[in-house]
Amino acid sequence: MAGSVKACLMPQLTAVQAAEVHQQLTWRTLRLVSSTNLCSVQLWCTPSTGHPFFTKAAEAYSLALLTQSSGDLGQRMNAALSIGINQFGYALLIGCDCPSLTRNDLASALVALIGAHSRY
């Protein structure tokens, strides 16, 4: 993953350091969303779900590993959201680079989504 994640940090960090920051942020986010038991969790991976980091995450947490679609970030996010909405009726997309995210943030977002979904 070094050199392919958090490239925006590379002027200040090496590719390896940027990958380590990404891994730490991802582990934090996975711990948070998995500990809340608020909903099913999916981890959308690229280039495949077979990377040791992803398989370790799947072993550590109850989550589904799925491969991201092709395209730019917006297209990949749209594809993941569309699949989640088709599967569950609503979906919440969470980036792994938001260290201020809390359990209350997740709960509030899900309450709003469920409320909006029930109106339709």
Side-chain angles (χ1 to χ4, degrees):
M1 289 198 320
S4 62
V5 295
K6 300 295 174 223
C8 61
L9 298 176
M10 285 191 234
Q12 293 81 21
L13 303 176
T14 66
V16 170
Q17 290 170 325
E20 288 173 1
V21 168
H22 176 68
Q23 288 182 3
Q24 291 172 6
L25 290 170
T26 301
W27 280 119
R28 182 208 177 274
T29 302
L30 291 175
R31 274 192 306 274
L32 175 67
V33 299
S34 296
S35 70
T36 62
N37 294 318
L38 294 171
C39 61
S40 297
V41 178
Q42 299 176 334
L43 180 60
W44 288 81
C45 310
T46 190
S48 76
T49 59
H51 190 282
F53 177 80
F54 300 136
T55 56
K56 185 177 177 182
E59 291 171 6
Y61 301 101
S62 179
L63 54 87
L65 296 178
L66 298 125
T67 302
Q68 291 183 21
S69 67
S70 60
D72 63 29
L73 179 60
Q75 291 168 320
R76 290 180 285 150
M77 291 169 61
N78 183 55
L81 277 172
S82 295
I83 290 169
I85 290 167
N86 287 335
Q87 187 174 4
F88 299 106
Y90 50 88
L92 179 63
L93 186 111
I94 303 169
C96 290
D97 53 359
C98 185
S100 63
L101 185 68
T102 67
R103 183 185 197 291
N104 287 339
D105 295 330
L106 292 173
S108 295
L110 286 170
V111 166
L113 280 172
I114 292 167
H117 178 71
S118 66
R119 289 191 292 262
Y120 295 101

